[in-house]
């Protein structure tokens, strides 16, 4: 199945202008991540998932990055992040709009998987980290129905019995959320975050 990453990417872009330099040290729902670290991670993942698409030519440097990505660090956030992050997000969305991006296999983070799963993971990352960024900076987060449904589907799969090894390092322990809660709240809980988190 193919997904459109455009709306989720644009929602993160929408959040950026309201983030001040004073916000960069604020905590986020991602344990041990400040806002600056989260922003660096968003920029890095947008670039990496663009590189990972089968339609993107791979240089030796790109291959090395996809096999062994560096840990996110606030020190890696460029001074021009308000320009560079939207550019990487736009490139990411454009790359995965190509139907051929969803064919075959690809490698990211040292893991080889079907490209359609890689694209779904990219969308999940955008939704969850967009929510993280909004919560950390006191903003509302809006997620379209299709992206929410995809994120919920992925987090449900990750929380299924027998998926513990695959889940480790990706999500924290599941936080119980009422079954009648909004779909995004349920996805947030399945990812190991509390939908009610506040800085």
């Amino acid at each position: 199945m193919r997904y459109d990453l455009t709306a989720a990417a644009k929602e993160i872009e929408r959040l950026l202008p309201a983030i001040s330099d004073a916000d960069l040290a604020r905590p986020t729902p991602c344990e041990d991540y400040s806002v600056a670290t989260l922003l660096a991670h968003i920029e890095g993942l947008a670039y990496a998932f663009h590189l990972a698409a089968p339609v993107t030519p791979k240089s030796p440097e790109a291959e090395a990055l996809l096999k062994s990505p560096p840990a996110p660090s606030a020190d890696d956030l460029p001074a021009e992040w308000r320009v560079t992050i939207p550019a990487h997000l736009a490139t990411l969305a454009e790359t995965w709009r190509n139907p051929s991006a969803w064919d075959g296999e690809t490698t990211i983070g040292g893991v080889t998987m079907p490209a359609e799963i890689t694209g779904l993971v990219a969308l999940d990352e955008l939704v969850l980290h967009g929510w993280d960024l909004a919560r950390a900076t006191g903003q509302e987060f809006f997620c379209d129905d299709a992206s929410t449904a995809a994120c919920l589907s992925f987090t449900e799969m990750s929380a299924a019995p027998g998926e513990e090894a695959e889940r480790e390092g990706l999500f924290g322990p599941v936080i119980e959320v009422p079954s009648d809660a909004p779909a995004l709240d349920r996805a947030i809980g399945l990812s190991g975050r509390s939908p009610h988190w506040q800085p």
Side-chain angles (χ1 to χ4, degrees), residues 17-39:
I19 302 174
S20 69
D21 289 345
D23 291 325
L24 297 180
R26 292 170 66 114
T28 74
C30 299
E31 189 174 354
D32 299 328
Y33 275 27
S34 66
V35 168
T37 306
L38 179 59
L39 288 168

Side-chain angles (χ1 to χ4, degrees), residues 8-9 11-15 19 27-31 35 38 42 123-143 148 151 175 177 182-199:
E11 177 62 6
I12 293 178
E13 182 179 353
R14 184 190 68 81
L15 298 171
I19 302 174
T28 74
C30 299
E31 189 174 354
V35 168
L38 179 59
I42 289 170
L123 178 56
D124 180 76
E125 289 276 294
L126 292 177
V127 171
L128 293 179
H129 287 314
W131 182 88
D132 291 332
L133 188 62
R135 278 303 168 108
T137 57
Q139 301 186 67
E140 283 194 83
F141 180 72
F142 301 100
C143 191
T148 298
C151 185
I175 292 178
V177 174
L184 183 59
D185 283 3
R186 284 181 278 141
I188 295 299
L190 288 166
S191 75
R193 298 157 167 84
S194 169
H196 306 296
W197 186 92
Q198 296 291 338

Side-chain angles (χ1 to χ4, degrees), residues 75-102:
D75 294 337
D76 295 331
L77 184 65
E80 305 82 12
W81 58 267
R82 292 178 181 84
V83 175
T84 59
I85 292 177
H88 282 301
L89 289 169
T91 299
L92 171 68
E94 180 64 28
T95 297
W96 287 92
R97 273 198 293 268
N98 185 333
S100 297
W102 299 86

